[in-house]
Amino acid sequence: MGLMPEKVPEKFLKPYNPQAVEGKIYKKWEESGYFNPDNLPGNRTQPFTITLPPPNVTGTLHVGHAYEDTLQDILIRFERMRGKKALWVPGTDSAAIATQARVEKNIQKDEGKSRHDLGREELVRHVTEFAKNSEATILSQVRKMGASLDWSRYAYTLDEKRNTAVFTAFKRMYDAGLIYRGNRIVNWDPKGQTTISDDEIVHEERDAKLYTFRYSKTFPIPVATTRLETKVGDTAVAVHPDDERYKQYVGKEYDAVLCDVPVHIKIIADAAVDPAFGTGALGVTPAHSQTDWEIADRHDLPRPQIINEIAKMTVEGRLCGKKTTEAREAVAEWLQNEGLLEKVEDIKQNVSTSERTGAIIEPLPKLQWWIDVDKNFVHQNGSTTTLKKVMRQAVESSAVTMPQEGFRNAYFHWIDNLRDWCISRQIWFGHRIPVWYKGDEIYCDVGAPQGDGWKQEEDVLDTWFSSALWTFSTLGWPEKTKDLETYHPTSVMSPAYEILYLWVSRMILMSEFHLGQPPFKTVLIHGLVRAKDGRKFSKSLNNGVDPLDIINKYGADALRMGLIVGAAVGADVKFDEQRVKGYKLFANKLWNIARFVLSQEQTGDIKPELKQEFDTMAADVTKDIEEYRIYMAAEKLYHYIWDRFAAQLIEESKGKPEYGASLYYILENSLKLLHPFMPFVTEEIWADMPSKKDLLMVEGWPTK
RNA sequence: GCGCGGUUAGCUCAGUUGGUAGAGCAUCCCCUUGACGUGGGGAGGGUCGUAGGUUCAAGUCCUACACCGCGCACCA
């Protein structure tokens, strides 16, 4: 007995070298065709589908993507080995606003030109070219992670099939009356010069001044505001219906001239007013505040617009053409001189800013395209319902399950506060709205109308409109394809919690409306990858981690393990390079285990108690993966293989030939169990296992 | 204000139905000329945020509070 080096393949005599192995292995997988479930061996009937949340073509992959890819790849490889038709659909997202903004910035910097200097066609050409480049970069990075995506089904939100899907979806919802064009208050981004949705807003706390003033000497109620300049657009003062102080004034109307602007103020009672804030009286500016717009709806007030798209005043008189911030000071000074300013206080205020550009949002009334979430339509199951109800019920009924309860409640909370979705954007890159105008006529269809004189809508769609169709547009919809029938609803969707509302809810909305079924059965929400100190990775902190650097240092397997073992799914992961290093050592440990076991004869019978012990562990690990305790599964395997198998069993076996078959059994099945987590090193060892028949990635899972 | 997480070893985090507190890293000690020094063995270290409650038994269930993080709404 003892070592029989002549039996061990040459490669095992050196330490495991991921750099030399991973590229080769990935190529082998791709060439096998097994990423495509149609090519998988055996008689497979049960589908298992994941759609990759498409990364934006704005740049390169970050470590958050690497984490997301790993989670999904583990599930896909697991189910593939369990004999399912495992399909993981890759794709990328044009990310209209983000990508255009990025390219505009580059052009401004390099050539000193704006998008208007270039024109629509030229700009779109630039953006498309940029998108192509970063698409290529991103896809090569995803491959490096070992992601077993079916590249034959690759989709891009702006490719021809997805265009058809987007236009068809628009047309059908337009015909159902769920998409309408309406003049309503929008979130206007003065820097980006476009509307944005409620979900693209971030609130920032800033210092502000709270002014208390009267419209005129004879006006009975003082009013507090931080936005003095908008007061020339006021048409009412609202008080709480139960507020005894002001009851006597409700219904009265007053005229005043504020900074040369004549205003007509009606005093009204509305429950939206907080009697405890300021003076308990709210100056209502219908055209420049979401709340005030709604109050104006209820009281049928006029809504003069006094600020334009570049955040300048449009009224006559001294304020004309001033920026809002300058106008504010001008009004304060004027009130002071007139003796109408009663008080100025410093307060903290949450300001709405654009997530993308950082600009302060200016609420404005604009003619835009909307999806009505409260309007009745007939669902394909025959019931009359609304999009809002459909989004709620899909989760409430557990047609869509969210294993993490907390996110489920947050989802409901969000749905209940949902307003109509503004889907038009004033940019050039993206899906142009399939609507044409001629005089008063409006035409909506997948293609342009016949005849002369039609002009297509200039706006493009919110990028989330096309993303919302993603689970089924990638499978060929609106055609009735075999893929759609087989793989939809998909099995698991795994987005970061950041986009639970933005994306998940909207996929449910679209899938329920267009297909009459949910887009997926399970939503597995994952956390963010943060720096070791808990802060977000960001350019300004310069604490970014490039997954490619980590892969080059430690290998993709080690990176995968290091990310997975960081935290339970759903919690934030703190990235720790030391941990990744530890798993590089583990890969090498496994390598040496193989070296030892392969040097032994497979003598003796498999010892029942060892088999029993292994199989129990395997069943345990299986259950953990099934119930998404990915972290636990990985840890258990790690411990079994290192502490039990290597440290104890192999040590005991030395000089005892009767252990040979047992050791081989454990190695063979450990490789299978570990494959979803560390696909490269396990596949590389597998290639030299005497019992192998095919690639490890399609071997049967060792336990039920 | 409403809601959701979190609070466990020096650090990062596990702890699945309540049953004698765990891992990795870090620290310290010891061992080792054949699978692997990218090794092996061992040790120290925790009143499981606070205060109550339920229970034979609570890190785990309940209530309140504190602190940290996040989301939503308001912010006139």
Side-chain angles (χ1 to χ4, degrees):
Chain A
M1 191 54 199
L3 253 185
M4 301 165 72
E6 72 277 7
K7 274 197 66 188
V8 182
E10 185 76 26
K11 71 186 187 191
F12 287 107
L13 301 179
K14 286 186 200 151
Y16 176 62
N17 179 3
Q19 289 71 30
V21 165
E22 290 179 353
K24 191 186 73 187
I25 293 279
Y26 196 87
K27 204 162 159 241
K28 249 166 98 172
W29 289 331
E30 269 197 288
E31 284 167 0
S32 75
Y34 291 152
F35 289 170
N36 181 342
D38 299 335
N39 300 331
L40 285 170
N43 211 355
R44 293 167 191 247
T45 50
Q46 216 185 332
F48 181 85
T49 321
I50 298 180
T51 320
L52 179 77
N56 292 348
V57 288
T58 43
T60 54
L61 213 67
H62 57 255
V63 71
H65 290 117
Y67 175 53
E68 192 167 271
D69 294 344
T70 303
L71 269 180
Q72 293 168 51
D73 195 45
I74 287 169
L75 296 176
I76 279 285
R77 286 183 185 272
F78 172 63
E79 299 293 358
R80 188 185 291 121
M81 290 176 79
R82 295 219 292 177
K84 293 191 184 158
K85 287 171 83 84
L87 171 62
W88 190 16
V89 185
T92 46
D93 190 340
S94 58
I97 287 186
T99 313
Q100 178 172 328
R102 177 76 185 269
V103 172
E104 277 188 61
K105 208 168 158 190
N106 289 351
I107 293 174
Q108 188 69 48
K109 209 174 80 191
D110 300 345
E111 303 174 34
K113 286 182 182 167
S114 78
R115 70 162 139 158
H116 299 285
D117 298 330
L118 293 177
R120 184 165 192 149
E121 254 179 63
E122 183 64 17
L123 181 87
V124 169
R125 195 159 43 238
H126 270 87
V127 181
T128 305
E129 191 187 327
F130 173 86
K132 270 236 134 32
N133 286 336
S134 69
E135 177 188 46
T137 312
I138 285 163
L139 296 184
S140 90
Q141 289 174 326
V142 173
R143 284 180 163 92
K144 291 242 186 224
M145 286 303 296
S148 56
L149 289 150
D150 179 6
W151 298 105
S152 73
R153 285 177 168 87
Y154 173 77
Y156 173 53
T157 46
L158 279 175
D159 65 23
E160 203 181 314
K161 284 190 173 167
R162 263 45 69 176
N163 278 334
T164 308
V166 166
F167 297 147
T168 306
F170 189 98
K171 160 80 175 157
R172 290 188 188 172
M173 296 178 88
Y174 179 81
D175 289 346
L178 296 181
I179 288 182
Y180 67 94
R181 193 180 191 214
N183 190 44
R184 300 189 31 181
I185 194 154
V186 298
N187 305 306
W188 181 260
D189 175 348
K191 228 183 230 175
Q193 286 293 297
T194 180
T195 53
I196 60 173
S197 69
D198 292 346
D199 308 286
E200 290 164 291
I201 288 178
V202 286
H203 297 284
E204 273 180 33
E205 193 177 76
R206 300 204 178 165
D207 294 319
K209 286 197 189 328
L210 183 68
Y211 304 89
T212 304
F213 77 102
R214 286 174 199 264
Y215 294 92
S216 70
K217 290 243 166 27
T218 54
F219 197 83
I221 309 174
V223 167
T225 181
T226 55
R227 295 204 61 190
L228 263 185
E229 76 282 9
T230 66
K231 296 298 103 182
V232 297
D234 283 9
T235 53
V237 164
V239 298
H240 195 275
D242 301 333
D243 196 326
E244 293 299 333
R245 293 173 291 178
Y246 306 129
K247 242 179 187 161
Q248 50 179 315
Y249 305 115
V250 172
K252 297 202 165 147
E253 303 190 22
Y254 298 82
D255 280 300
V257 177
L258 208 59
C259 275
D260 310 334
V261 183
V263 292
H264 182 81
I265 309 284
K266 186 177 177 182
I267 298 184
I268 57 173
D270 195 286
V273 178
D274 174 4
F277 187 91
T279 61
L282 161 66
V284 180
T285 323
H288 300 286
S289 153
Q290 184 78 47
T291 320
D292 296 5
W293 179 271
E294 286 163 15
I295 292 174
D297 272 344
R298 289 194 285 271
H299 299 271
D300 199 22
L301 301 168
R303 315 165 189 228
Q305 181 174 344
I306 51 134
I307 298 169
N308 66 13
E309 282 79 354
I310 51 174
K312 287 190 175 160
M313 306 299 291
T314 58
V315 291
E316 297 298 319
R318 75 189 71 200
L319 298 179
C320 183
K322 276 195 160 60
K323 284 208 276 191
T324 50
T325 42
E326 292 165 4
R328 187 172 309 163
E329 285 167 33
V331 175
E333 198 185 313
W334 183 86
L335 287 170
Q336 182 76 54
N337 293 339
E338 297 290 317
L340 294 172
L341 190 61
E342 299 196 347
K343 201 160 57 168
V344 182
E345 302 159 84
D346 290 319
I347 61 162
K348 292 275 182 204
Q349 191 192 206
N350 279 332
V351 182
S352 301
T353 64
S354 162
E355 186 179 36
R356 193 65 58 195
T357 65
I360 295 179
I361 296 303
E362 186 57 64
L364 289 177
K366 282 191 87 73
L367 189 58
Q368 297 291 313
W369 287 93
W370 306 81
I371 290 181
D372 191 329
V373 292
D374 290 310
K375 182 166 178 162
N376 280 329
F377 71 96
V378 180
H379 189 271
Q380 294 187 21
N381 65 17
S383 65
T384 298
T385 183
T386 68
L387 292 173
K388 206 185 221 180
K389 287 181 193 161
V390 152
M391 281 189 273
R392 195 174 222 290
Q393 272 161 14
V395 176
E396 218 160 35
S397 69
S398 292
V400 174
T401 59
M402 294 190 190
Q404 299 120 318
E405 280 291 322
F407 293 120
R408 207 167 170 261
N409 294 333
Y411 176 85
F412 290 138
H413 189 248
W414 178 82
I415 296 277
D416 296 340
N417 285 307
L418 187 63
R419 290 191 280 242
D420 284 1
W421 173 15
C422 179
I423 52 171
S424 44
R425 297 289 181 276
Q426 291 69 52
I427 56 171
W428 291 341
F429 182 60
H431 296 278
R432 196 155 165 186
I433 291 178
V435 165
W436 288 260
Y437 308 102
K438 183 159 83 175
D440 290 337
E441 285 181 84
I442 290 188
Y443 177 92
C444 170
D445 207 339
V446 175
Q450 300 291 315
D452 294 332
W454 290 97
K455 207 169 167 289
Q456 190 176 358
E457 168 66 59
E458 293 285 332
D459 289 357
V460 303
L461 285 166
D462 178 7
T463 189
W464 295 102
F465 187 97
S466 58
S467 305
L469 311 172
W470 197 240
T471 60
F472 53 94
S473 70
T474 51
L475 295 174
W477 187 87
E479 282 174 52
K480 291 196 169 66
T481 60
K482 188 103 204 316
D483 271 4
L484 204 54
E485 193 189 316
T486 310
Y487 298 108
H488 204 273
T490 62
S491 308
V492 174
M493 171 55 63
S494 187
Y497 57 69
E498 282 185 309
I499 53 175
L500 174 61
Y501 315 122
L502 216 53
W503 193 36
V504 172
S505 62
R506 281 160 187 175
M507 284 192 282
I508 296 175
L509 178 161
M510 288 295 191
S511 184
E512 287 287 349
F513 178 80
H514 293 288
L515 277 74
Q517 59 179 215
F520 29 67
K521 293 176 196 133
T522 299
V523 181
L524 184 67
I525 292 152
H526 66 254
L528 268 30
V529 180
R530 294 171 179 277
K532 207 185 162 187
D533 58 11
R535 294 197 289 185
K536 277 197 180 186
F537 288 123
S538 77
K539 281 205 180 98
S540 53
L541 291 172
N542 195 25
N543 61 353
V545 173
D546 183 349
L548 291 187
D549 289 346
I550 302 295
I551 291 174
N552 286 335
K553 264 169 109 170
Y554 307 107
D557 287 332
L559 174 57
R560 290 167 65 112
M561 286 292 274
L563 289 168
I564 286 307
V565 179
V569 179
D572 287 347
V573 177
K574 300 213 174 88
F575 183 79
D576 180 0
E577 192 169 327
Q578 279 308 306
R579 201 165 55 225
V580 176
K581 191 178 164 194
Y583 288 108
K584 180 189 157 89
L585 303 187
F586 180 56
N588 191 60
K589 186 75 189 174
L590 192 66
W591 190 249
N592 281 296
I593 290 172
R595 172 179 173 180
F596 179 81
V597 173
L598 291 177
S599 75
Q600 311 290 309
E601 295 286 0
Q602 289 181 48
T603 45
D605 294 326
I606 298 170
K607 294 180 181 297
E609 71 279 10
L610 293 184
K611 182 176 189 304
Q612 175 70 47
E613 180 190 85
F614 181 88
D615 292 351
T616 303
M617 185 275 300
D620 220 21
V621 165
T622 304
K623 191 157 175 269
D624 284 336
I625 306 176
E626 280 173 339
E627 292 169 13
Y628 307 113
R629 291 186 298 270
I630 311 285
Y631 163 89
M632 293 208 67
E635 269 240 322
K636 277 178 191 163
L637 280 168
Y638 174 87
H639 282 291
Y640 178 84
I641 290 170
W642 199 311
D643 299 335
R644 179 66 182 148
F645 186 28
Q648 297 177 347
L649 298 181
I650 286 183
E651 289 307 319
E652 279 172 29
S653 77
K654 286 180 179 170
K656 297 178 189 154
E658 69 272 19
Y659 271 86
S662 299
L663 295 184
Y664 191 86
Y665 174 84
I666 294 174
L667 173 63
E668 183 180 27
N669 288 291
S670 293
L671 290 175
K672 292 180 190 173
L673 291 178
L674 199 56
H675 181 256
F677 302 90
M678 305 182 81
F680 289 108
V681 66
T682 50
E683 188 76 77
E684 176 65 11
I685 294 171
W686 188 257
D688 288 287
M689 295 291 280
S691 57
K692 78 139 198 189
K693 295 180 202 76
D694 200 340
L695 291 175
L696 178 56
M697 69 174 283
V698 293
E699 273 296 322
W701 191 250
T703 184
K704 286 287 167 281

